[in-house]
Amino acid sequence: MRGEQLSGCQYGIPKMPIQTVLNRAPPPTTSIIFPSCWIDGAWQETSKAGGMGWIIKTAAGEVLCRGSSNRSHVCSALMAEALALREALKKAQELNLQSLQVFSDSQVLVSTLDAGMDLNEIAGVLQDVKSLATLFCPLSVVFIPRVENSQADTLAKSSLSRLLNVV
């Protein structure tokens, strides 16, 4: 497992990396020892609209919250995924969570975090994510197959649909 020194702990506790795991399904619920967050983004190229969805659960798998948002002027599907991550981390902060496992079906987003790359396309949002990551100790981001992310996917697509029906 590779990680990058992006996140840290508050109050002088040593920094912990964002850990990323590629090409693996999430561990069984019994091995999830931190709260978990499932994120997804939906995007429509013709309208440049994006929908974001997230579900935050306790380590025991109980839903703490479900959320979604949407916005116009989203440049890509990757940007929608990054925005979903940022919104989910903000919500986890509001819930006063101290550690978090994030599951995403965006291999590009997970790989970007793993490599410590700054993609121009999502650079500003990545800076926000890196800043928010310092609030969690530890924070891991795990790639999962799309079929394992259906609840967050439904939230993101529904949010996008609401925006498109209003515009």
Side-chain angles (χ1 to χ4, degrees):
M1 182 176 348
R2 292 178 40 198
E4 180 194 354
Q5 295 290 335
L6 294 177
S7 69
C9 301
Q10 297 178 12
Y11 312 113
I13 300 171
K15 290 190 174 200
M16 299 292 293
I18 291 181
Q19 297 176 338
T20 58
V21 180
L22 299 175
N23 298 321
R24 289 183 37 196
T29 303
T30 56
S31 69
I32 294 180
I33 57 173
F34 303 116
S36 59
C37 178
W38 307 76
I39 65 163
D40 200 24
W43 182 65
Q44 185 183 65
E45 184 174 12
T46 56
S47 64
K48 301 292 189 217
M52 291 67 69
W54 58 92
I55 301 168
I56 300 175
K57 300 179 181 182
T58 66
E62 298 170 5
V63 174
L64 289 172
C65 76
R66 286 181 172 88
S68 63
S69 64
N70 55 47
R71 62 189 300 173
S72 55
H73 308 294
V74 176
C75 64
S76 68
L78 179 60
M79 177 60 86
E81 298 282 351
L83 290 168
L85 176 58
R86 182 177 70 183
E87 293 304 314
L89 291 177
K90 286 180 182 180
K91 188 60 178 181
Q93 175 192 16
E94 289 173 19
L95 293 169
N96 294 316
L97 299 179
Q98 296 185 9
S99 57
L100 195 62
Q101 292 175 297
V102 179
F103 299 102
S104 170
D105 61 15
S106 173
Q107 193 161 12
V108 174
L109 180 61
V110 174
S111 297
T112 298
L113 291 169
D114 183 51
M117 295 172 19
D118 284 327
L119 297 178
N120 286 339
E121 178 182 343
I122 59 171
V125 176
L126 279 181
Q127 282 304 116
D128 293 344
V129 166
K130 289 175 185 179
S131 178
L132 288 163
T134 64
L135 304 174
F136 304 95
C137 184
L139 174 68
S140 63
V141 180
V142 180
F143 171 75
I144 56 171
R146 183 171 293 150
V147 68
E148 301 290 334
N149 205 23
S150 61
Q151 291 181 347
D153 178 68
T154 298
L155 289 170
K157 286 180 179 174
S158 295
S159 184
L160 174 61
S161 180
R162 283 192 306 275
L163 177 65
L164 296 175
N165 289 332
V166 171
V167 175

